[in-house]
Amino acid sequence: MKKLICLFMILGAAWRLTAQITPAVAVLPTEDLVTQIFGKNKESLLNDFLKISPLEERAFQSAFLEYETEKSPWLTERIALLKMYNEEFSSIDEKKMNSLTRQFINNDLEFGRLQMRYFRKFNKLLGATRAAKFFQLDNYLEQSTRVYLQNQLPFIKELESDKLAKPLTAR
């Protein structure tokens, strides 16, 4: 039961990203958000963090570009789902909510499979520790961009509950 509650909280947080995305935020690609948040692009952050040697640089850049290219459709789908939710936020019904929830979960599963495939590649290229560090930073940047957007958005049905003016109390 606790896992189910946590899952719904996580999904709620993900959907919160879409509830009121401002046009300025909605059009920013993930790379622009990373630069805006951290002051460097993702590749620079990774090079600094992983201490890529000149001998590894060409192979790393190739693998990184390949990973980002394969990751792009996942991000595009996630953004499309968020936009769909955003457009239908005020009138979304149970059937559509069920469908969107399943699509978000499948999207996350696909991303996990993509990361597993590339972990094997980066493991061969950089060794297990630096491959783990790569995905630690990649996940950190992904979560940071989600949080950045999420802080601007209400939770599902939060707008309707605000009309009732019932304050939340801690127990």
Side-chain angles (χ1 to χ4, degrees):
M1 184 68 173
K2 287 181 183 179
K3 288 181 181 179
L4 186 60
I5 291 170
C6 287
L7 174 65
F8 284 123
M9 289 176 65
I10 291 168
L11 289 174
W15 283 318
R16 186 173 181 202
L17 291 173
T18 61
Q20 292 181 344
I21 293 177
T22 62
V25 174
V27 297
L28 282 177
T30 303
E31 185 63 34
D32 290 344
L33 282 176
V34 169
T35 302
Q36 185 175 340
I37 295 168
F38 298 99
K40 287 184 176 182
N41 69 23
K42 187 175 183 177
E43 190 172 359
S44 295
L45 290 168
L46 287 165
N47 282 331
D48 293 349
F49 185 62
L50 299 174
K51 304 202 181 333
I52 302 298
S53 73
L55 294 174
E56 299 168 321
E57 190 169 2
R58 178 181 232 146
F60 173 75
Q61 286 178 347
S62 175
F64 174 71
L65 180 60
E66 186 180 316
Y67 172 69
E68 289 295 309
T69 301
E70 280 198 51
K71 188 175 164 181
S72 181
W74 171 82
L75 289 171
T76 301
E77 180 183 358
R78 184 154 197 87
I79 290 168
L81 290 169
L82 294 173
K83 285 181 180 180
M84 185 185 316
Y85 175 76
N86 186 40
E87 292 166 1
E88 300 177 22
F89 177 77
S90 61
S91 64
I92 199 161
D93 62 11
E94 287 292 312
K95 186 176 180 181
K96 186 65 173 184
M97 185 65 76
N98 184 24
S99 174
L100 280 172
T101 302
R102 290 176 181 275
Q103 289 174 335
F104 272 110
I105 292 169
N106 284 332
N107 182 268
D108 286 341
L109 290 172
E110 288 175 26
F111 183 59
R113 286 191 287 273
L114 173 71
Q115 286 186 313
M116 183 55 75
R117 276 197 330 271
Y118 277 89
F119 175 72
R120 291 182 198 113
K121 289 182 181 188
F122 283 106
N123 190 10
K124 289 178 184 175
L125 180 66
L126 303 172
T129 300
R130 290 195 300 158
K133 287 173 76 173
F134 172 87
F135 285 103
Q136 181 182 28
L137 183 58
D138 186 60
N139 286 329
Y140 179 77
L141 297 174
E142 176 63 34
Q143 293 302 317
S144 295
T145 57
R146 286 185 186 191
V147 169
Y148 178 83
L149 294 172
Q150 179 181 331
N151 285 330
Q152 302 173 41
L153 308 169
F155 281 101
I156 297 171
K157 303 293 183 182
E158 185 177 42
L159 295 175
E160 288 83 358
S161 66
D162 286 348
K163 291 178 187 175
L164 300 175
K166 291 182 181 179
L168 296 175
T169 57
R171 293 184 187 228

